Amino acid sequence: MNYEKLTPMMKQYFEIKNQYKDYILFYRLGDFYEMFFEDAVTVARELELTLTGRNCGLEERAPLCGVPHHAGDLYLGRLVEKGYKVAICEQVEDPATAKGIVKREVVRIVTPGTVIDPSLLDEKKNNYILAFFKNKYHAIAFADITTGEFKSTLFDPQVDSYRLLEEIQKIDPSEIIVDKNLEKQLPWLYKSLSSQYTLSVYHEASFKSDSALSVIKRIFGVFSVESLGLVPQEEQTAAVGALLAYIEETQKVPLKHFDRIEHYNQNSYMMIDRFTRRNLELVETMREKGKKGSLLGVLDKTCTAMGGRKIRQWIEQPLIDPEKIQQRLDAVECFHADMFLREELKVILRQIYDLERLASKLVYGNINPRDLVSLKNSIALLPDLKVLLSRQDLALVDQLADQLDLLTDVFDLIDQSLVEEPPIAVKEGGIFKEDCHEDLKVYREVLTNGKNWLLAVEERERERTGIKTLKIGFNKVFGYFIEVTRANSKNVPEDYIRKQTLANNERYITPELKSLEEKVLGAEEKMMALEYQLFQELKETLLKQVQRLKSTAEAIASIDVLYAFAEVAFQHGYCKPVVKDECLLDIKEGRHPVVERIMDPGQFVPNDTYLDQDERQFYIITGPNMAGKSTYLRQVALITLMAQIGSFVPAEAATVSMVDRIFTRVGASDDLSQGQSTFMVEMNELANILNNATSKSLIILDEIGRGTSTYDGLSIAWSVVEYLSKRDGIGAKTLFATHYHELTELEGRFHGVKNYCIAVKEVGDDIIFLRKIIRGGASQSYGIQVAKIAGLPNEVIDRAKDILKKLEANDINNNMNALKEGLTTEPEQPLADKEADLLREQLSFFGSSASEQLVKELSQLNVMDMTPMAAMNCLYELMTKAKSVSGGK
Ligand code: ADP
Ligand code: MG
């Protein structure tokens, strides 16, 4: 582009734009913000605005698109939501007096990670901004600038490079700051990050130790970073320092609410990778991305916005320290046991405002008088809350009660100065009680008296003129005036000066009225100015208390989450899990917390689980489509996770041992978010599990190997089972659901591998789903029966049966035999014994979930002599009796 030819204004535009290349520049022109060239094209596309053009001095017109300045925030918000960064460039001198081009400057920068406007934020979700720096170690630092949370951690790329990405995905920042070398140093990471997040490349200098250190020291007001608990690790300092510098630059205010940096170790939380997070639908559903239908949706009965954000964090970061988990569980138990306590907590918590965000409004200076009254009213509730908690005598509850600062001084300050219902605006007065300043009292008096004076004048003039309808009014143009109807205008006295004629009325002024006006309006203006100044002072004073406010907010958030856990446990009949540090998972009558909610009460069929590191380490779960395999798998994972966040669990009883990671993989064609997951991705994920699982992990494999041909898939699945179940192998607790019923051959050949299936009852040609997990493998896939239920025409069903018969007669059996021949391992026990064992276990397993009556009836049956099919039929009959059959017709 030939810059020389540009018009002077466009030259100015480019001078500014070149400093903000990554940003969309909102260039103020009269009553509009205008965007030019590429910015214009982008914005027009994203916001569906009309793209026009403007002469810019070149031959072609410059693409242009504009938004009215008063609606600027609205458009800006939508752009930021879509991940764009916006720089707002205003006219900084009066166009009327300016010589030549009006001077313009960027006055505000808004990026996805630095939004503070509440209307653009989800109040129950943190909005994080993250900085990454790489040298020998990898460091990340992240913050929520609306709450003041600030954290940082280090990674050793030798040991855990894969963890970095997972950690970032868990934090799910709206924006990531990196230095410009990253693209060259770690192209894969750069690519992966830039495809998922808004990436901001920030100047290298800010990451340099010296400047980073000085920013940290200045903002936190400390002499050494060690006093912040930071290991003086160069990488970490760089990430923290650059993040602070970036935030400060965009906000253009001193950052007072960052008081500490929490340095954490990823090893103190259960690892949950992105696939697992998504598959288990922890905080959002896979399809709609909504909270409804997720675990969070079921558990979130928090009453405050602070609690809402905290519960999400807890779900995303299950603990692995049994002691800490126990503390939470005990607190939940305490709230759970006392309905009145819960009721009282709810009443109090519901009235408490978002103190964290009120605190940050103080810091950013955009708090309004009404916010302060909300703050006061919230503080007023704290003593009651503290008393309620102090009564409980439990470690965690006590500690939280202690953390509650009653903030009486803050309460008094606001209470003594602000009126009960102040306006939102800070420049129009009416905020302060009149006795909090001498002058204010005087102005208010003049104002009230002024009103009386005017009333007196009105009364007197009515008498003097004999016009009953005469009245005194006010408008911005003429100030006070006397209004009479036109019919009466002939009666007005000489000293009235006519100012305005309306359709029905005439308006007049008098010298007396004008002098009164001066007094009153003067007082009003002075009052407004004084109140504005008082408000600024009040803000300054309160700003010093921000840290106390934040720490109290933090305690309230935790109390709120514990309350929510107790409330959910009570409403849905959850039990307190026994938490251990062994390798045992023993669940009696477990349920899927989300699936059971969408069914009528009692319709969900509970199931047991017993996994250890010995005999029953690896479940192979077979059963037709729709039997309930996937539901069962997820339910086991969710119950484990819930126990580790300190929540009660949907079961009759549960013993849960700490799990260091949960892995879930879902076979390509079973993955609900189709299109994304290809077979290759599936195998990648599988590789990740096989390489990273430990004996303390829980692995959920759902239909692995499905995305390829049957034999490929079957072979892969087969060898994965071999690998994971080897006695000297990983030995991680594993649930493997598969429709390859051939895999049931593996039981008895590998230690710890046990077959389970989800029972179905054959009734003639049809099947009924019993939803009950029992010992033993499914003998066939029932694909055709399921297809029939789905409503395929009879003709198709009959033909399919025909074909199946022929296939079974030839191909499959041959291949099965080939597979078996390929096995090198000898069976561990004779197959005849296996059959008997199977039946015994089948029944004992069923026993724990049946009513007493059922167990009695079962024990009277001579099932040992029955074939598995006959035993299954008995089970079905008994279950029908117990009315626990679902999905049947
Ligand atoms: P699969 O993975 O075996 O194909 P799913 O786990 O997807 O089966 O379950 C299919 C449907 O069966 C679920 O959508 C749910 O409605 C129902 N279901 C699953 N488990 C249960 C249960 N324990 N009790 C009642 N209904 C269940
Ligand atoms: Mg499934």
Side-chain angles (χ1 to χ4, degrees), residues 315-366:
I315 290 177
E316 299 207 313
Q317 295 198 324
L319 303 172
I320 47 176
D321 176 353
E323 209 169 304
K324 283 198 182 133
I325 298 173
Q326 196 61 49
Q327 282 189 352
R328 285 190 189 171
L329 286 171
D330 291 344
V332 174
E333 183 179 37
C334 158
F335 293 169
H336 180 258
D338 188 342
M339 193 184 215
F340 297 105
L341 171 62
R342 278 205 314 279
E343 196 52 39
E344 282 179 272
L345 276 176
K346 179 165 85 184
V347 170
I348 296 178
L349 289 171
R350 281 207 173 151
Q351 300 176 65
I352 299 183
Y353 279 76
D354 192 340
L355 298 184
E356 269 172 341
R357 286 202 168 146
L358 284 180
S360 72
K361 278 184 156 190
L362 264 174
V363 171
Y364 296 111
N366 58 351

Side-chain angles (χ1 to χ4, degrees), residues 85-129:
K85 294 178 278 183
V86 181
I88 297 152
C89 172
E90 293 285 0
Q91 298 170 174
V92 291
E93 61 181 349
D94 189 349
T97 56
K99 293 201 196 84
I101 297 286
V102 184
K103 208 169 148 212
R104 289 181 176 83
E105 269 172 23
V106 169
V107 296
R108 191 153 66 106
I109 287 174
V110 186
T111 70
T114 59
V115 179
I116 53 170
D117 180 356
S119 66
L120 296 175
L121 292 164
D122 177 350
E123 67 160 14
K124 288 204 154 193
K125 193 175 172 205
N126 280 107
N127 189 42
Y128 289 122
I129 177 162

Side-chain angles (χ1 to χ4, degrees), residues 599-616:
M599 293 185 169
D600 289 338
Q603 283 296 296
F604 191 88
V605 181
N607 272 308
D608 292 1
T609 308
Y610 186 97
L611 279 162
D612 59 22
Q613 248 184 329
D614 192 33
E615 287 293 319
R616 287 194 270 186

Side-chain angles (χ1 to χ4, degrees), residues 760-762 867-878 880:
V760 292
K761 152 110 180 136
E762 286 185 74
T867 62
M869 201 59 226
M872 193 97 94
N873 279 331
C874 278
L875 285 181
Y876 171 68
E877 238 108 80
L878 288 170
T880 328

Side-chain angles (χ1 to χ4, degrees), residues 625-626 628-631 634 670 702-703 706 737:
N625 277 318
M626 280 303 285
K629 300 183 296 300
S630 301
T631 309
R634 284 170 175 75
D670 211 45
D702 196 354
E703 308 276 11
R706 222 188 198 188

